[in-house]
Amino acid sequence: MTRTLLTPTRIAPLLVLLLVLLLVAAAFITFFERLPVEGTTFLIDWGVFWKSIQDGNVVYYSAFGLRIPPWSVLFILPLGFVSLRTAWALLALATILILIISVPRRTARWRHRAGMLLLGASFLTLRVIVDGNFEGLIVGGVLLMLWGYDRRQALPLGVGILLATIKPQTVFLLIAVIGLYLLEGRQWRLIGRTAAITLAIVIPTLLWRGSDWLVALGGENNAVFTGNLLDITLGASLRRAGDFSPVIILMARLAVIAATLVIAWRARARLTRESAGLLIAASILCAPYAAGNSVLTYVAIGVIPFFQKRPLPGLLLIGLMNAALLLNQAAFVGVASYYWTLYTLLTWSVLAWHVWTQSPAAAQVHDAITSVART
């Protein structure tokens, strides 16, 4: 007997959900179309990005224009066919929905609701929406990557990689470690299928706009961003703080990467959300460039689940993130960048401690010590 997947009892909830989403999207568009933003710092990012994809014409035209990889442009390209404000509304709605979905549900109900409230109403979430940036989409890409890896499915893993690499600097260590885990587990079929999916998109899009993208990243365009007051990477902070040689900066980056990889290898039995957050935080610290908005990515992926397991230290990290609101003024741009670097270092350290102590290897050591103590 053949089972029918699309029965009326299954179709009805989907249609209701679709209708609700359409109504919410209409409400968002109406609100954003009427929102007075003239003379404000709203749309500081999206206003430029939208011009780079207007009417489907992708243009890497200046240092302050579009800089995301051509394969990731495909995810935002449809927004170029609607008005600036409508596109902004849809991007904001997608960000909010993804962040809500990102909060783990397998926990006490109050922790799930608290996680949604703390993430959805956080300073960085509001900042990303106001600026019109892509952190919500990157979080969605990371969630797809983790879901695909956990279930050994190539399609979500490949699509997640393509989406998360809207900002490759935030996820390069996470992607590398997932690849290392798959190699260690000899998951040849999954590796092959994932590579085929990603390359089937990456290669044609590089032929399409790859040269323009590389020009936008290089030369004077790159100098505009790397090391500027918005750059929160470890290297940028050290260069601004004093006359540190490139060798010292390189050693600092390698130390963070090495420590992160050791911890990730120790915890390789299971890729948790906290492990992913640790890898994202380390990527931001060691990247050539990263801005403060990128902090939201590891907060959503790693800090919120950490809060659900360890409420007090987790709440402290979330509180320190929101404390940056006090520095959200032009006069404190330089101070704010140092703050985000120190916050990223602190979060990296806390997540590293958590992943290290929660790894199966640590549990085995604890059990051995307990067994010896009892005898």
Side-chain angles (χ1 to χ4, degrees):
M1 182 176 179
T2 303
R3 292 182 61 186
T4 303
L5 296 179
L6 295 179
T7 61
T9 55
R10 294 184 179 183
I11 294 176
L14 294 177
L15 292 177
V16 172
L17 177 61
L18 178 60
L19 178 60
V20 170
L21 286 176
L22 290 175
L23 291 175
V24 172
F28 264 66
I29 291 171
T30 301
F31 174 76
F32 278 78
E33 286 284 354
R34 297 179 180 180
L35 192 64
V37 298
E38 290 74 14
T40 70
T41 58
F42 284 35
L43 287 171
I44 192 171
D45 292 326
W46 184 244
V48 177
F49 298 151
W50 180 81
K51 291 180 181 178
S52 298
I53 60 170
Q54 189 175 4
D55 298 324
N57 182 28
V58 179
V59 180
Y60 292 96
Y61 63 87
S62 73
F64 294 97
L66 196 68
R67 293 164 62 86
I68 69 175
W71 58 84
S72 298
V73 170
L74 299 179
F75 294 99
I76 65 168
L77 193 58
L79 297 178
F81 294 97
V82 296
S83 71
L84 170 64
R85 285 169 172 259
T86 295
W88 180 31
L90 295 175
L91 180 63
L93 177 59
T95 297
I96 293 172
L97 290 177
I98 290 171
L99 292 180
I100 290 174
I101 293 171
S102 74
V103 179
R105 296 180 60 89
R106 295 179 181 178
T107 184
R109 182 176 297 179
W110 75 266
R111 297 189 183 191
H112 176 243
R113 292 177 178 176
M116 288 195 296
L117 177 62
L118 291 170
L119 181 61
S122 71
F123 160 65
L124 273 182
T125 297
L126 298 177
R127 184 74 258 178
V128 165
I129 291 174
V130 166
D131 291 348
N133 219 306
F134 301 122
E135 271 63 36
L137 300 183
I138 298 170
V139 170
V142 173
L143 292 176
L144 280 174
M145 287 170 55
L146 298 178
W147 190 82
Y149 172 80
D150 187 54
R151 287 161 178 77
R152 300 298 191 265
Q153 294 187 13
L155 183 59
L157 179 56
V159 174
I161 291 172
L162 295 171
L163 181 56
T165 48
I166 284 180
K167 294 184 179 181
Q169 68 270 28
T170 65
V171 293
F172 70 91
L173 283 176
L174 175 60
I175 294 174
V177 166
I178 287 177
L180 182 63
Y181 286 174
L182 293 177
L183 288 172
E184 193 266 341
R186 298 182 180 180
Q187 300 288 326
W188 308 120
R189 180 175 296 181
L190 179 59
I191 293 172
R193 290 178 176 177
T194 304
I197 291 170
T198 55
L199 292 177
I201 303 299
V202 169
I203 292 176
T205 53
L206 282 177
L207 295 174
W208 171 51
R209 285 291 190 274
S211 59
D212 295 339
W213 173 55
L214 292 176
V215 169
L217 290 179
E220 294 181 359
N221 289 342
N222 186 54
V224 170
F225 287 89
T226 303
N228 69 12
L229 291 178
L230 298 178
D231 192 346
I232 69 167
T233 61
L234 188 58
S237 294
L238 289 175
R239 282 191 293 268
R240 288 194 303 265
D243 189 19
F244 290 97
S245 70
V247 174
I248 293 177
I249 293 174
L250 176 61
M251 290 178 62
R253 285 171 167 166
L254 291 177
V256 172
I257 292 174
T260 303
L261 292 179
V262 167
I263 295 169
W265 182 253
R266 177 187 172 95
R268 65 188 181 278
R270 182 168 178 262
L271 180 57
T272 64
R273 289 280 296 272
E274 294 87 350
S275 296
L278 169 69
L279 291 162
I280 293 170
S283 297
I284 291 172
L285 287 171
C286 301
Y289 170 82
N293 282 346
S294 295
V295 170
L296 180 62
T297 306
Y298 67 71
V299 168
I301 294 298
V303 174
I304 294 298
F306 173 73
F307 156 76
Q308 292 178 320
K309 295 176 181 177
R310 300 179 185 264
L312 289 180
L315 193 60
L316 175 62
L317 288 177
I318 294 169
L320 289 173
M321 173 192 64
N322 288 315
L325 175 63
L326 302 175
L327 302 176
N328 191 41
Q329 302 178 41
F332 298 134
V333 171
V335 177
S337 62
Y338 284 121
Y339 184 88
W340 285 128
T341 304
L342 292 173
Y343 178 78
T344 304
L345 273 170
L346 174 63
T347 303
W348 173 80
S349 302
V350 171
L351 292 179
W353 161 75
H354 174 78
V355 173
W356 180 271
T357 57
Q358 295 298 307
S359 66
Q364 292 174 3
V365 171
H366 179 268
D367 292 342
I369 293 174
T370 302
S371 177
V372 170
R374 287 177 178 176
T375 58

